[in-house]
Amino acid sequence: MEQWSVLLLEAHRGAGPLLAGAAPAVYMGALTAGRIAAQALPGLSLSHLSLVAGAGGGAGIALAGLGGSALVSMAGFGLAGLALGPLVPALLSRAAADDPRGTLVWIVSTVSYAGFVVSPPLVGLLTTWVGLPAAVACLGVLGVPLALRSFRFFR
């Protein structure tokens, strides 16, 4: 979201530099708000956070890509950040609790950073076929397996 949001808003939503430049801040601010909210609700399980992250994050990303205006896309960035924010800290906490040697923490961190490195070229490649708005929206599909996986944990 943070790598492509400015270009999406400037080139495809007609936003000026000030509004477009605020897109990463909206996303990161929503990530922070999501993490703070999750800390205030300690009863949330990892499966519930996975469901919220998968459904809300995926929907937010799709809305950001397919939204017809800069403000709708900004709302999508905010929704994605709010929904996805609590998940990685929860995963790291769970990994640390379940594996005192740190192997799971290493795996979660590696997968997380790999996604951070791979996503910009992936979106760039998709952009050559379907354009930037649809390429960003395609990333929302990645939330589906996350949301579905959460059902396995519900008892």
Side-chain angles (χ1 to χ4, degrees):
M1 298 303 276
E2 49 199 280
Q3 291 92 348
W4 293 99
S5 60
V6 175
L7 182 59
L8 175 72
L9 290 182
E10 280 189 341
H12 298 277
R13 302 290 183 259
L18 182 62
L19 181 60
V26 166
Y27 177 67
M28 297 303 278
L31 280 173
T32 301
R35 289 177 180 161
I36 291 169
Q39 291 294 320
L41 302 168
L44 290 176
S45 68
L46 185 57
S47 59
H48 289 106
L49 291 174
S50 295
L51 179 60
V52 168
I61 292 168
L63 180 63
L66 300 176
S69 71
L71 293 179
V72 172
S73 291
M74 289 286 257
F77 298 139
L79 175 60
L82 196 60
L84 293 169
L87 187 62
V88 171
L91 285 172
L92 288 169
S93 177
R94 175 75 175 267
D98 290 348
D99 181 16
R101 291 180 46 206
T103 304
L104 291 174
V105 173
W106 176 83
I107 292 169
V108 170
S109 296
T110 300
V111 169
S112 174
Y113 284 112
F116 187 75
V117 170
V118 170
S119 65
L122 175 63
V123 171
L125 182 63
L126 286 171
T127 297
T128 62
W129 294 323
V130 297
L132 182 59
V136 169
C138 284
L139 294 180
V141 172
L142 297 175
V144 173
L146 182 60
L148 292 177
R149 174 142 170 75
S150 70
F151 287 108
R152 161 188 137 117
F153 295 108
F154 287 125
R155 306 224 191 280

